[in-house]
């Protein structure tokens, strides 16, 4: 049958990456202008234990050997060789096929090629492969280049996080708004109209409309509230933990862990219910009818309406979101954080009130909204020029002489806090 992926350009890096991919069990087709390198690679694959690697001497049979939509990693010398290789391959590529440039090409060239390929209905991504020959063989670091490509790469993760946040919105609407599945179906369908064309909102609306074919009521209510995990979320959080704060992703992972503790939660709910803490702490006054009617209109003033408005702006619409992210980085490639982009910041300023009200409502009602509240905490931390970390630094210097920096004088300082405190007490 067809192979899973192709790789064109078999210098040492290309050979190593191809062997690495084959070793992981993915069938791979390989091609190189100079055919002796194809044979060399095939020979190595044989020696390493019959890895599923297949060599081709001509570009046509190479391309045709790959499963559609085809993905071909290209590792040739930067500059004109890349254009020549694209030209050779695209003769045989079909709509939806994708070339990933694994060379460290200048991003402007990558963008130019991406545009040219798009006209042919082909996809093109830049992805720097670093770690050298050794890295290529044993574990390269792959960095999708250019702003948009990078975000394309995390689309999968964003999708999961967005799904988790929609689930929080569902919980608030269902538990405090007491919306039935019919009403939820209606509300999500309305959200999906007009400006909001999110795949996730659409499928969510569909879900609320589906009856249980094995019993009474709706299927969604019979689905076990225990989410699966495949590891991408975990790896992302681990990666993030190296250097950046990613509370929304982390909290979506936390939500998954907690949802996995179904049996423990069932027992915990008994403990708290028997001591008077019900599922919902305070009953909120919510006019359901108005909520649903208003969902199609603008100008909500219900608390819950804020939730809809917050989401309605396309925050969960990945296609639009990714496009807007790309635009933000086009405006300023050095942008430190999306929050400070002119467009994003404007929107956050407008929406933060609704966001806060929804989180408050959820907290008052005892509904956990890990994702929404931790994202809000992130924003509230990031937007402050001074945080109480000064106290932490002082404490660390006090008990461990870890030293501290000052706001007004450069250098690192240490104070004998204990001595001074003791003296002043005397
Ligand atoms: P080659 O083995 O046929 O020279 C690094 O030089 C890689 O880029 C090699 O796989 C090399 O193929 C390829 N390369 C260099 N120039 C090229 C070109 N003009 N067309 C196709 N591949 C090229």
């Amino acid at each position: 049958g067809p192979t899973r992926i192709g790789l064109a350009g078999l210098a040492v890096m290309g050979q190593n990456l191809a062997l690495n991919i084959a070793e992981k069990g993915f069938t791979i087709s390989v091609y190189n202008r100079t055919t002796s390198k194809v044979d060399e690679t095939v020979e190595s694959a044989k020696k390493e234990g019959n890895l599923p690697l297949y060599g081709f001497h001509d570009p046509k049979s190479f391309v045709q050997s790959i499963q559609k939509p085809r993905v071909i990693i290209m590792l040739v010398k930067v500059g004109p060789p890349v254009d020549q290789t694209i030209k050779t391959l695209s003769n045989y590529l079909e709509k939806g096929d994708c070339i990933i440039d694994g060379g460290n090409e200048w991003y402007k060239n990558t963008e130019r090629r991406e545009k040219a390929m798009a006209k042919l209905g082909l996809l093109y991504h830049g992805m720097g492969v670093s770690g050298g020959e050794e890295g290529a063989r044993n574990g390269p670091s792959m960095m999708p280049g250019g702003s948009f490509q990078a975000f394309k790469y995390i689309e999968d993760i964003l999708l999961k996080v967005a799904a988790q946040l929609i689930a929080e919105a569902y919980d608030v609407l269902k538990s405090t708004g007491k919306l039935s599945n019919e009403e939820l179906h209606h509300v999500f369908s309305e959200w999906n109209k007009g400006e909001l064309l999110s795949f996730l909102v659409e499928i969510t609306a569909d879900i609320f409309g589906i009856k249980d074919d094995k019993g009474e009521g709706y299927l969604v209510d019979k689905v076990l509230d225990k989410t699966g995990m495949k590891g991408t979320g975990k790896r992302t959080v681990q990666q993030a933990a190296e250097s950046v704060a990613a509370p929304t992703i982390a909290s979506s992972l936390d939500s998954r862990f907690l949802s996995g503790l179904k049996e423990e939660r069932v027992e915990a709910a008994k403990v708290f219910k028997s001591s008077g803490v019900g599922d919902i702490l305070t009953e909120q006054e919510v006019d359901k009818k108005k909520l649903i009617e208003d969902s199609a209109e603008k100008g909500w003033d219900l608390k819950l309406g804020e939730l809809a408005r917050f989401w309605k702006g396309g925050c969960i619409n990945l296609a639009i979101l990714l496009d807007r992210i790309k635009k933000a980085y086009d405006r300023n490639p050095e942008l430190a954080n999306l929050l400070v982009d002119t467009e994003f910041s404007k929107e956050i300023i407008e929406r933060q009130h609704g966001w806060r009200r929804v989180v408050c409502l959820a907290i008052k009602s005892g509904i956990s909204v890990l994702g929404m509240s931790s994202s809000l905490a992130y924003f509230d931390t990031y937007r402050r020029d001074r945080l109480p970390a000064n106290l932490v630094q002082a404490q660390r210097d006090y008990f461990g002489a870890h030293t501290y920096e000052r706001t007004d004088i450069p250098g690192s300082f240490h104070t004998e806090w204990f001595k001074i405190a003791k003296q002043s007490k005397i």
Side-chain angles (χ1 to χ4, degrees), residues 290-291 293-306 308-309 312:
K290 190 161 188 296
L291 172 68
E293 279 167 16
D294 285 354
S295 69
E297 297 163 13
K298 293 208 169 148
W300 295 53
D301 40 17
L302 273 164
K303 281 187 220 161
L304 284 172
E306 296 289 353
R309 200 191 297 162
K312 219 175 160 179

Side-chain angles (χ1 to χ4, degrees), residues 8-12 14 31-38 74-86 88:
L10 296 169
V12 184
Y31 166 76
N32 190 65
R33 179 183 60 176
T34 307
T35 56
S36 59
K37 284 182 189 155
V38 174
M74 178 180 55
L75 273 162
V76 300
K77 223 187 246 165
V78 296
V82 171
D83 292 300
Q84 276 150 25
T85 307
I86 290 173
T88 306

Side-chain angles (χ1 to χ4, degrees), residues 1-7 15-30 41 45 49-56 65-67 71 73 137 140 142 235:
T3 56
R4 179 75 179 74
I5 197 167
L7 189 144
Q15 288 196 17
N16 281 352
L17 187 59
L19 290 168
N20 185 351
I21 291 169
E23 191 186 37
K24 300 293 176 305
F26 299 103
T27 53
I28 185 167
S29 303
V30 297
T41 315
N50 276 326
L51 302 179
L53 180 146
Y54 307 89
F56 296 87
S65 72
I66 306 161
Q67 164 192 315
V71 177
I73 298 175
R137 184 64 188 87
M142 304 209 207
R235 281 195 294 279

Side-chain angles (χ1 to χ4, degrees), residues 98-101 105-115 117 123-128 142-156 158 322-323 325-327 329-330:
C98 176
I99 293 182
I100 296 174
D101 179 9
E105 182 59 281
W106 185 44
Y107 78 100
K108 288 278 181 200
N109 278 341
T110 302
E111 284 180 359
R112 166 176 63 77
R113 289 169 186 142
E114 190 185 314
K115 279 195 192 111
M117 292 279 280
L123 297 163
Y124 190 84
H125 298 312
M127 182 183 72
M142 304 209 207
M143 183 52 212
S147 50
F148 190 51
Q149 286 91 332
F151 286 101
K152 268 293 198 204
Y153 177 73
I154 59 164
E155 192 171 315
D156 184 43
L158 286 179
L322 289 169
D323 189 54
I325 292 173
K326 175 179 159 42
K327 290 210 175 89
Y329 283 98
D330 284 347

Side-chain angles (χ1 to χ4, degrees), residues 346-360:
K346 232 193 283 166
E347 208 159 312
I348 290 277
I349 291 164
E350 277 169 24
R351 291 177 200 279
Q352 57 160 330
H353 307 291
W355 190 1
R356 290 177 198 288
R357 276 194 286 271
V358 172
V359 171
C360 284

